[in-house]
Amino acid sequence: MQTMAFDSSTKNAIADSSDKYNNMFVKCVVGFLFLGVLYRFYFFTPFPPVLDSDTDFLRDSTWFPVPPDTSHLPGIYSPARCNIFDGMWVPDPNPPFYTNKTCHSIEEHQNCMENGRPDSGYVYWRWTPRDCALPKFNPVKFLWMMKNKSMAFIGDSISRNHVQSLLCILTQVEKAVSVYHDKEYKSRTWYFPSSEFTLSVIWSPFLLKSTIFENKEGVASDIPKLHLDELDPVWVDRYKDFDYVEIGGGKWFFKNAIYYENNTIVGCHNCPQQNLTKLDFTYAYRKAIRSTLKFITSPKHKAIAFFRTCTPDHFENGEWNTGGYCNRTVPYKEGEIDLIDVDMAMRKIELEEFVKAAASEKNSVLRLFDTTHLSLLRPDGHPGPYRKPHPFSGKDKNKKVQLDCLHWCLPGPIDAWNDLMMDMLLHE
């Protein structure tokens, strides 16, 4: 066989050609892999089926809604922990933990999907604290933590809204047994056999002893009567039975009401037709919150108490009875919204009274569950007209429809409250 001989110049030329070929081959491979990654990201990354184009603002990583600073208040966090109530709502492609098909305890007026709400983007957001991670609620771990324990949600319809959210998540892993309800099903108790955990909701919208003259539809036949120096025995008499409590008041104090102290009328809120001393709702609200926190922090009580701050509504261009509506489909951007005067007044009272109670208590049972700001940013999560099934169906297209811009769709933004509560429980 004849052997070919190459001089040095030929060898160098072959080597250069080989290097160029190798470099070109590497570049082609890298380019092909890059195109493959782009193709997979574009066509296979899951996104929610309905999200408004206005969410583009969230691509700006500098967007951080800044709530009023409550990190300095006693009973919230140690310096080593972040404030989980300071953060932002970010898009989340993961579906909610439950739907109206998998949870059978959603009340009609919060069942937005079943009632025909056409968009679903409001369920694809997640609350993310600014300076720390917030794990999603784990129902299995929660039931394990609550073994042989009891928890109660005390207050108005927002408390009931929250307990239904929690119940929907827990019943995805274990069926709850209903063991008690009052005549109108406003106060209820459920039992989870595997962990012997008892979950209750106690209807007490004023937290004070009161007489309310409303039917199931919320139509009042008379003005409520509030005893400002007496707490409501409906929850006070059962308080000793609970290991954990979430408690809070709110919008009911805006209602017309006659105020009593020592069983004597001392004034009236918003009832000019009666010859009574005019008192602002803040007078009654401060009395209610102060008495409630004093009772909770009494040395004889063992329950860890989450004091829930007020929840703002999102009626625009009017109130619930004057044509107000809520038709937004994404959260507010930073600086787009602030608390209205009455909500600011309530929040001021809550924080002032919380600071006093937390500073004076001896057994450290009080926790601030500060959901006001994160709720303020979610105008998209309310039932609106979909508090009733298919409100715009039928022949009468111009019929008047009652809107709800205060409570939350289920599933919806209030589900994030469970993430926050569990995080606080884990750090006890």
Side-chain angles (χ1 to χ4, degrees):
M1 180 179 294
Q2 185 177 4
T3 302
M4 297 182 66
F6 300 100
D7 57 22
S8 60
S9 62
T10 303
K11 291 179 179 178
N12 291 337
I14 292 174
D16 291 343
S17 176
S18 178
D19 289 341
K20 290 179 180 179
Y21 176 82
N22 290 337
N23 289 338
M24 185 178 296
F25 177 78
V26 171
K27 290 179 180 178
C28 288
V29 170
V30 172
F32 180 81
L33 292 173
F34 180 73
L35 289 174
V37 171
L38 286 178
Y39 178 85
R40 178 175 177 80
F41 178 81
Y42 185 80
F43 288 101
F44 295 99
T45 300
F47 288 98
V50 181
L51 277 181
D52 195 280
S53 60
D54 288 346
T55 57
D56 287 347
F57 71 88
L58 283 166
R59 295 172 185 171
D60 179 5
S61 62
T62 63
W63 183 77
F64 284 101
V66 181
D69 181 24
T70 56
S71 60
H72 63 287
L73 297 179
I76 305 180
Y77 305 106
S78 66
R81 293 204 59 217
C82 83
N83 182 355
I84 57 175
F85 300 105
D86 176 9
M88 63 189 299
W89 291 97
V90 300
D92 183 2
N94 298 303
F97 207 100
Y98 63 94
T99 69
N100 60 311
K101 302 298 183 184
T102 63
C103 179
H104 306 292
S105 59
I106 304 175
E107 293 189 9
E108 180 184 77
H109 44 282
Q110 267 87 61
N111 202 340
C112 303
M113 292 181 179
E114 183 69 21
N115 292 344
R117 178 168 171 169
D119 64 310
S120 60
Y122 62 93
V123 302
Y124 292 98
W125 297 84
R126 183 178 179 184
W127 177 253
T128 304
R130 182 194 300 242
D131 297 320
C132 60
L134 179 66
K136 282 198 171 183
F137 185 87
N138 185 324
V140 175
K141 181 181 287 188
F142 180 85
L143 288 174
W144 176 80
M145 290 169 56
M146 293 293 111
K147 187 173 180 60
N148 297 316
K149 303 291 186 182
S150 59
M151 175 179 281
F153 290 70
I154 301 169
D156 53 19
S157 53
I158 296 297
S159 295
R160 190 165 68 241
N161 203 173
H162 188 186
V163 82
Q164 288 169 355
S165 166
L166 177 60
L167 189 65
C168 279
I169 296 176
L170 294 179
T171 53
Q172 302 307 298
V173 298
E174 182 180 5
K175 183 178 180 180
V177 180
S178 178
V179 295
Y180 167 80
H181 63 79
D182 63 5
K183 184 178 180 180
E184 296 182 344
Y185 285 79
K186 289 186 174 181
S187 294
R188 300 191 62 178
T189 299
W190 299 268
Y191 178 72
F192 291 83
S194 68
S195 58
E196 300 183 38
F197 169 56
T198 303
L199 177 64
S200 300
V201 59
I202 301 177
W203 170 252
S204 182
F206 291 111
L207 302 176
L208 300 168
K209 179 181 177 181
S210 60
T211 306
I212 301 171
F213 305 91
E214 285 192 5
N215 60 20
K216 292 182 179 180
E217 299 300 321
V219 179
S221 59
D222 201 351
I223 300 174
K225 296 175 173 55
L226 274 64
H227 294 262
L228 304 185
D229 53 351
E230 295 184 59
L231 291 172
D232 188 353
V234 170
W235 68 268
V236 166
D237 290 349
R238 295 183 58 189
Y239 195 85
K240 64 182 184 300
D241 300 328
F242 304 122
D243 298 293
Y244 298 94
V245 165
E246 183 199 276
I247 190 166
K251 301 294 186 182
W252 274 71
F253 285 85
F254 296 165
K255 292 176 178 287
N256 303 2
I258 298 175
Y259 299 151
Y260 289 76
E261 292 185 56
N262 296 320
N263 291 318
T264 302
I265 295 177
V266 295
C268 184
H269 170 58
N270 198 25
C271 42
Q273 69 277 15
Q274 301 202 29
N275 188 22
L276 297 173
T277 302
K278 295 180 181 179
L279 291 173
D280 191 70
F281 79 90
T282 56
Y283 178 80
Y285 195 56
R286 188 177 292 277
K287 290 265 188 178
I289 298 305
R290 180 175 295 174
S291 298
T292 296
L293 295 180
K294 183 178 180 180
F295 177 86
I296 287 172
T297 56
S298 168
K300 64 181 179 180
H301 294 137
K302 63 183 176 70
I304 298 296
F306 297 90
F307 173 57
R308 174 180 57 80
T309 56
C310 62
T311 303
D313 64 56
H314 290 97
F315 285 100
E316 297 185 54
N317 297 318
E319 298 300 323
W320 67 272
N321 57 348
T322 58
Y325 57 84
C326 47
N327 57 7
R328 296 179 183 264
T329 57
V330 294
Y332 277 116
K333 302 177 186 179
E334 181 184 8
E336 283 190 335
I337 185 68
D338 201 354
L339 292 173
I340 61 176
D341 291 346
V342 289
D343 289 333
M344 288 181 68
M346 296 186 82
R347 180 171 175 78
K348 181 175 183 291
I349 290 170
E350 290 166 349
L351 297 184
E352 289 175 351
E353 295 302 322
F354 179 88
V355 168
K356 292 177 184 176
S360 63
E361 69 167 319
K362 298 293 188 282
N363 51 353
S364 301
V365 298
L366 197 56
R367 307 288 182 270
L368 186 66
F369 198 59
D370 191 11
T371 57
T372 301
H373 185 72
L374 62 95
S375 301
L376 179 67
L377 298 177
R378 293 305 305 270
D380 56 317
H382 303 294
Y386 298 99
R387 62 188 299 274
K388 294 287 185 180
H390 307 284
F392 302 112
S393 62
K395 296 180 180 180
D396 184 7
K397 301 297 183 181
N398 297 317
K399 63 182 178 181
K400 185 177 180 180
V401 176
Q402 179 66 57
L403 275 69
D404 183 351
C405 302
L406 172 63
H407 301 96
W408 305 101
C409 293
L410 294 176
I414 200 169
D415 294 326
W417 295 15
N418 300 307
D419 300 344
L420 297 163
M421 177 172 285
M422 186 162 185
D423 185 81
M424 295 177 75
L425 289 169
L426 284 169
H427 288 87
E428 281 296 329

